[in-house]
Structures are given as structure tokens and as C-alpha cells.
Amino acid sequence: MSFAIDVSGLNKSFGDLHVVKDLSIQVTEGRITGFLGPNGSGKTTTLRMLCGLLTPDSGHGTALGLDIVRDAAEVKRQAGYMTQRFSLYEDLTIEENLQFSARIHGLARRNQRVREALDKLGLTQRKHQLAGKLSGGWKQRLALAAATLHEPRLLLLDEPTAGVDPQARRSFWDEIHGLAAEGLTVMVSTHYMDEA
């Protein structure tokens, strides 16, 4: 059995506040793993440490076989991360946001990959719509498209369906299950027991 994520004794503090304390977790490759906890329990901090955006204060671990501290830049290249709040440009269209993400990742065949992402997530008909005018469910589809555009091996989703209506939530989960069926490892933080 191989693990996409394997960490032990992970700690992160901000001032005197221990946000993550002695976390140990293993996530099997090619599976969807739920990460359940109430607001403020350190889920976001943990995901940010796993994808190289935050450096742990202590502990050790790997993501995709790479050291999460020493190899943080490479982990970032091989992981997709979707924040809990919509973080793309609201004054750009869906297509422009994906083109921008493709350029940031330095992707070859950029136009083709953007078209494929638009088709895969049902965004083609809305590609000229401003991101800021999208409903919560469509924003989540766009964010998922951007997070997976570079074909990551690991996808970290931080409360991806918070504030999304039940129908959009179900559709979103269908997309996640489809990605996992293709071999993508997915770790999802949530405070919804039914999702976990």
C-alpha cells in the first residue's frame, strides 16, 4: 500500500496559539479521504502545510513521496489546492481565469487544456461569463477546473462545498468521484458529517 500523504507529529503555532498539534495522518494513493473537524480546528492550516504553502514548526512528513519542507516547491507543482473561499479573479471570465492559471503553471498546449477543462466541468457555455457573476456552485466548478488544470497527482480541497446549494454540492461530488476514479488522490476538509 502506498501513501500519497504520510506525516507524523506535525505542529504549527501562530504566536501562543497551537493551531495544529501532533497531527499524524496517512492518505492512501488514489482515494478520497475526508478530514473532518469543526471551524477553527486546524484543517486549513494542515492542508496548507501539506501542499507547501506553510512550513510546519516541527514534525515531518511526505506528500507524493516528497518532503513537505525540503521539497515544498515540487509538492506545489504536483498538488492542486482549492481554498474554501473563491480566490480567482472575479473581474475575469471563466476562460480568462483558466488561461491565467495555465500560464502560471507554464502549461504546454494551454488553449487545448483550457478547452478540455471547460468541457469536462460543463463550463463551455459560460466561458465568457465573469467569474464574479457566477453562483456559488459555478464558482466551485471554476475553482476545481483551475485546481486540476495542471493535472496534479494530489488534490487538496478545503471545505469545497461550504455555502453551496444541495444540487450543486451533489454535482461537485460527482466530479470529485470521477477524478478519483482516474487515479487522483483527493483529501477533503469539511465540517459536514454527511460529506465526510
Side-chain angles (χ1 to χ4, degrees):
M1 179 180 303
S2 58
F3 297 104
I5 297 172
D6 187 3
V7 298
S8 179
L10 217 55
N11 294 284
K12 183 67 181 173
S13 299
F14 294 102
D16 293 334
L17 179 64
H18 292 284
V19 179
V20 176
K21 187 171 183 181
D22 295 326
L23 173 75
S24 296
I25 189 170
Q26 291 180 322
V27 175
T28 308
E29 277 188 26
R31 308 244 347 231
I32 300 172
T33 302
F35 189 42
L36 181 66
N39 290 333
S41 63
K43 298 183 305 293
T44 297
T45 300
T46 298
L47 293 180
R48 288 180 179 171
M49 285 189 286
L50 293 175
C51 68
L53 294 175
L54 281 178
T55 303
D57 297 325
S58 60
H60 63 277
T62 61
L64 304 170
L66 301 163
D67 186 284
I68 61 173
V69 175
R70 187 182 64 240
D71 303 319
E74 186 58 31
V75 171
K76 287 178 197 173
R77 280 189 278 284
Q78 294 188 41
Y81 175 56
M82 190 171 138
T83 61
Q84 58 185 299
R85 288 194 179 93
F86 186 71
S87 59
L88 298 174
Y89 292 99
E90 295 201 358
D91 57 344
L92 294 180
T93 66
I94 289 173
E95 185 175 33
E96 289 168 339
N97 268 293
L98 293 178
Q99 285 286 348
F100 178 77
S101 293
R103 283 193 302 275
I104 292 293
H105 286 288
L107 299 181
R109 303 179 289 100
R110 183 173 68 233
N111 292 333
Q112 177 186 346
R113 289 173 87 165
V114 167
R115 276 192 309 275
E116 289 169 357
L118 289 166
D119 287 342
K120 187 173 188 174
L121 287 162
L123 295 166
T124 302
Q125 297 300 316
R126 296 175 178 262
K127 68 182 180 180
H128 298 298
Q129 191 171 352
L130 289 176
K133 301 290 185 183
L134 298 172
S135 68
W138 287 106
K139 282 182 177 180
Q140 292 306 83
R141 281 179 178 259
L142 172 55
L144 181 61
T148 58
L149 191 61
H150 64 292
E151 299 174 352
R153 294 175 48 212
L154 171 65
L155 180 60
L156 302 170
L157 304 172
D158 191 4
E159 299 191 26
T161 59
V164 175
D165 70 78
Q167 183 177 351
R169 183 181 295 172
R170 181 71 256 152
S171 177
F172 183 84
W173 276 106
D174 289 343
E175 298 297 338
I176 298 304
H177 283 281
L179 291 167
E182 295 171 4
L184 182 63
T185 302
V186 182
M187 185 169 176
V188 183
S189 75
T190 184
H191 57 265
Y192 294 126
M193 183 62 99
D194 60 326
E195 283 190 348

